[in-house]
Amino acid sequence: MIIEAILKINPNAKVSVNADDINQIIWHDGTTPISKSDIEAQFPIVELDNAMQDLRAKRNKLLIDTDFYGMSDNTMSSEMATYRQALRDITSGITTKEQAQSVVFPSKP
């Protein structure tokens, strides 16, 4: 998570971290070091990004599982259309890792 936080501040940073320890950051190729407090301030953002990535992966799998209902030779029921829309809307308004991790997926009709 430390490197992800650093890259949030400086996407071009050349850095490595020993043992995932914020006290073991090694700056490479003339990258300007970033303060530990600035790096730590990015942790909640990185955690939210990771939680949202996991949530989207689960949501996308559920959408893929029902894609065949939308094929031209199949008529999608209104219940299925509502379910799929609820899946697409599931990430709306999520601003914290805890919210992302506590999402309850709708039941498939």
Side-chain angles (χ1 to χ4, degrees):
M1 174 166 42
I2 296 167
I3 291 177
E4 292 170 297
I6 291 168
L7 294 176
K8 286 278 184 200
I9 300 167
N10 178 359
N12 299 315
K14 306 292 185 220
V15 63
S16 58
V17 179
N18 289 332
D20 203 31
D21 180 353
I22 198 160
N23 296 310
Q24 300 289 323
I25 299 172
I26 302 165
W27 301 94
H28 304 284
D29 297 337
T31 299
T32 303
I34 300 169
S35 74
K36 290 177 190 171
S37 62
D38 286 345
I39 295 168
E40 289 169 339
Q42 296 299 311
F43 287 174
I45 297 166
V46 170
E47 288 175 342
L48 175 59
D49 288 349
N50 291 339
M52 290 298 290
Q53 184 176 2
D54 291 343
L55 176 60
R56 286 185 180 104
K58 291 174 189 171
R59 185 250 346 245
N60 291 346
K61 164 119 179 41
L62 293 172
L63 283 168
I64 288 168
D65 289 347
T66 60
D67 277 348
F68 70 93
Y69 288 108
M71 296 177 75
S72 63
D73 63 341
N74 199 359
T75 302
M76 186 181 302
S77 69
S78 63
E79 293 84 8
M80 184 56 68
T82 300
Y83 168 74
R84 288 175 54 84
Q85 186 61 53
L87 288 174
R88 286 190 293 275
D89 294 342
I90 211 157
T91 58
S92 222
I94 293 178
T95 59
T96 67
K97 173 183 89 168
E98 291 76 21
Q99 288 174 329
Q101 292 176 333
S102 66
V103 164
V104 176
F105 286 90
S107 297
K108 182 179 172 183

